[in-house]
Amino acid sequence: MLEFGLVDEGLYLGRVGIAAFLSAADAASPEHLDFAQTVLAPLVRVLTSPDEFERFRFLRDAGLGMAGTGGFLRAFAVLERSGLGTRIDFTHLSDTLVASITAEAVAKDRKLDVLGGAAGTIGVVARQHLRAPTDASQQALQLLAEHVHQAQQPTTGAWSTAFNAGQPLTGLAHGASGIGLALIEAGVALNDDELVDAGARGLRYEAEVFDDDEGNWPDFRDPGTSPSFMLGWCAGAPGIGLARIQALTSAPTHPDAGRWWDDIHSAVRATIAAPNSPVDHVCCGNLGRAAFLREAGAWADEPTWVAAAAAIDMDVFDRAGQSGRFRLTRYSLESGPGSEASNPGLMQGLSGIGLYMQSVHTGSRDLMSLII
């Protein structure tokens, strides 16, 4: 059964992700920029409101992760480079968000992970701090990293998150890849080897649970069943591979660098070998897999990986051209042609697909800046 509702303000499903696509789709078009500015207006209003309690309540409810503060910061970094950057002061908005990362706000975080928790904010603040360090970014980064570090399990090196799974989760969005990478990036930005090593321990946990028969990392989100094996940005090989690329970019001389390289190769093999997904979107669909293969191929100078991504593209775009739509949910497969609802969002909708297409045709890295 399909459910309909208004999108939220966030990056994953909501307004700021849609605006990132609209502003990038045709930077020379005033109409696109006008629409993007309209889409962003409610978020800009609350972040610039003189009512501090309104802003506090909004950010408290949004959370720290990619779906909240971390997602806003990622999007603002991309939007600042677009034509919209001459209309909206995204630097000021980002500074407002970083200043909102207080000890009180961080202490309330129980999710920890990239999608909903502190790890989803650490990476973007760490990169900002490396480019232009301030007292505010250093304080925010230290608060966030300490919070995540203290929650690390001493036995596994992984984290128990809000999913309450029977075993610590793997993966970029909800598990050890995303959280471990966050600590690595924080450690590099703060020149703190202890944080870097703590993040590496999280990635080591994933190596320990890797399934050789499946050639993939298990998804433990349903504790009542045997683990499943996904192939998406959120869980499974593509997202884990992206996390290892970023880990190697941040800490190329770490003692575990060789293992991270091995993980990238395992992730590529699993992604190439898998049959196409029933859905096309960036989160756990075909184009998320293709985006990983393109990123890995360009990063490692492996043209065969890029060619594998192009094969996925051809299948998706040829089918979409014939049917007039992308497959965004499994519901359309169960109910037949014409049943697909349109989702404008970034990770499970048309904005992410549009940004991926832009990356293919122009070499833009906007999508990668938003999702890793």
Side-chain angles (χ1 to χ4, degrees), residues 17-284:
I18 298 167
F21 166 62
L22 289 170
S23 63
D26 186 353
S29 165
E31 292 79 14
H32 279 95
L33 296 178
D34 288 346
F35 190 24
Q37 189 168 3
T38 299
V39 168
L40 278 178
L43 176 60
V44 173
R45 186 201 65 77
V46 74
L47 292 181
T48 57
S49 171
D51 185 341
E52 292 187 9
F53 181 70
E54 179 187 23
R55 189 166 60 248
F56 164 79
R57 184 175 56 194
F58 170 77
L59 293 173
R60 177 200 63 195
D61 293 345
L64 287 172
M66 182 178 174
T69 296
F72 301 146
L73 285 167
R74 291 167 190 240
F76 292 166
V78 168
L79 288 163
E80 188 173 28
R81 302 192 295 266
S82 76
L84 212 55
T86 62
R87 303 187 182 193
I88 298 173
D89 188 349
F90 289 108
T91 298
H92 174 69
L93 294 178
S94 295
D95 289 344
T96 299
L97 287 170
V98 171
S100 76
I101 303 171
T102 62
E104 180 184 7
V106 172
K108 293 180 184 299
D109 172 46
R110 294 292 179 268
K111 294 182 178 180
L112 299 175
D113 64 17
V114 165
L115 190 58
T121 301
I122 288 175
V124 64
V125 175
R127 291 167 220 172
Q128 177 181 320
H129 187 70
L130 283 170
R131 288 193 305 270
T134 65
D135 290 344
S137 62
Q138 177 156 332
Q139 177 178 313
L141 198 51
Q142 287 173 331
L143 286 170
L144 291 162
E146 182 180 357
H147 173 67
V148 171
H149 190 195
Q150 287 180 346
Q152 188 171 29
Q153 295 180 349
T155 52
T156 66
W159 291 266
S160 177
T161 63
F163 272 95
N164 292 318
Q167 184 162 344
L169 300 183
T170 64
L172 177 56
H174 304 295
S177 270
I179 304 173
L181 173 61
L183 285 185
I184 290 171
E185 292 199 88
V188 170
L190 295 171
N191 197 26
D192 186 331
D193 290 341
E194 183 179 356
L195 289 177
V196 174
D197 289 340
R201 284 202 306 276
L203 305 192
R204 218 170 293 141
Y205 161 75
E206 290 188 325
E208 293 168 2
V209 299
F210 181 81
D211 190 298
D212 290 322
D213 292 334
E214 292 285 341
N216 197 359
W217 291 263
D219 180 2
F220 296 118
R221 280 180 289 179
D222 188 351
T225 65
S226 299
S228 58
F229 294 87
M230 285 191 65
L231 281 153
W233 166 87
C234 52
I240 290 172
L242 286 173
R244 299 304 188 270
I245 291 172
Q246 187 61 36
L248 278 166
T249 301
S250 298
T253 61
H254 192 274
D256 286 354
R259 180 183 291 113
W260 299 343
W261 262 111
D262 291 343
D263 288 346
I264 292 169
H265 282 273
S266 294
V268 168
R269 284 194 297 270
T271 305
I272 291 176
N276 279 2
S277 169
V279 294
D280 296 328
H281 55 63
V282 170
C283 180
C284 42

